[in-house]
Amino acid sequence: MVSAPKILINRSELPKNKVDILAAIGVNHQPKTKERKPRKKNSASWYEMLEMLKEYHRIHGDFIVPKKYPINQALSSWLYYQKTLKRTDKLEDEKIKAFEEIGFEFPKPLENQKSWDERFEELLAYKDKHGNCQVPVRFKENQQLATWVRTQRRYYKEETITEDKKSKLENIGFIWRVNN
């Protein structure tokens, strides 16, 4: 027996009689939809997870939660995600302070990775030299700065940049949308 190919067809594009014919021969005519999984009722809030991290520290004497921590995989995943947010400058200052208050230290950037403030200082130097903040995409003198500027614009577009960083950039004349 030959199975019918799986073809997705938007129901609104075809007359009903044709949709019925396709359904009769086994063609899926339902459009795919991306559904967001509902939050689990037992999933913990951010501060509950921080409390779990404090408890881990009390028991183990460190904050080195194994990536595959069998006792509490959610804690491991949450902490990994917090580190990612911090590394990409998306973790809120209030939450960074909460981590500092319990003695947690985020991993230091690699030697060739600079902090947001260091890149901001480079942007200020660029502005002093060139009179604007429009770092070319292919800026040979400092390609990392060009990438950082592009990343800030992406965060702005995605609405994930913090208000503090947005304000700092706007105060020096940073333009969010540029014509390439």
Side-chain angles (χ1 to χ4, degrees):
M1 176 179 169
V2 178
S3 63
K6 290 189 177 185
I7 302 170
L8 295 174
I9 300 167
N10 188 339
R11 186 187 302 241
S12 63
E13 294 175 5
L14 291 174
K16 182 173 177 6
N17 66 335
K18 293 196 178 182
V19 170
D20 292 339
I21 292 168
L22 290 171
I25 62 170
V27 175
N28 182 358
H29 59 278
Q30 299 291 330
K32 273 190 177 177
T33 58
K34 261 192 170 177
E35 289 184 21
R36 191 170 202 173
K37 291 180 182 176
R39 188 173 176 185
K40 295 177 185 173
K41 287 184 181 179
N42 64 351
S43 66
S45 75
W46 192 91
Y47 288 98
E48 289 171 330
M49 295 303 293
L50 186 68
E51 287 300 317
M52 288 180 203
L53 182 62
K54 283 168 56 175
E55 181 64 13
Y56 178 92
H57 181 263
R58 187 187 68 71
I59 294 168
H60 299 280
D62 61 42
F63 293 104
I64 306 168
V65 181
K67 197 167 191 171
K68 297 197 185 267
Y69 185 48
I71 297 169
N72 189 343
Q73 184 60 47
L75 176 62
S76 176
S77 299
W78 175 81
L79 186 57
Y80 178 80
Y81 182 62
Q82 301 310 303
K83 291 175 184 178
T84 301
L85 290 174
K86 173 72 167 82
R87 186 180 65 250
T88 58
D89 293 316
K90 292 182 181 179
L91 187 62
E92 299 163 20
D93 291 339
E94 171 190 314
K95 291 178 178 177
I96 293 170
K97 286 179 184 155
F99 274 115
E100 290 170 353
E101 287 172 4
I102 67 167
F104 180 86
E105 291 183 21
F106 285 95
K108 303 285 186 241
L110 298 176
E111 203 171 293
N112 63 346
Q113 291 180 322
K114 295 188 177 179
S115 72
W116 192 93
D117 290 322
E118 289 171 314
R119 291 286 183 219
F120 182 75
E121 291 298 321
E122 289 178 4
L123 181 61
L124 287 174
Y126 177 92
K127 182 180 180 184
D128 287 344
K129 184 175 180 180
H130 299 277
N132 62 52
C133 299
Q134 297 179 10
V135 180
V137 173
R138 300 195 196 290
F139 185 51
K140 290 182 183 177
E141 292 177 41
N142 189 341
Q143 185 58 51
Q144 291 84 6
L145 177 61
T147 301
W148 181 84
V149 165
R150 197 170 54 248
T151 301
Q152 302 315 301
R153 288 190 176 112
R154 188 180 82 238
Y155 291 160
Y156 174 81
K157 184 178 179 182
E158 295 170 349
E159 299 179 358
T160 58
I161 191 166
T162 65
E163 284 300 318
D164 180 49
K165 291 172 182 169
K166 179 180 168 186
S167 179
K168 282 183 177 180
L169 289 166
E170 288 174 346
N171 287 338
I172 64 166
F174 189 85
I175 298 171
W176 297 107
R177 291 187 174 92
V178 292
N179 297 329
N180 293 338

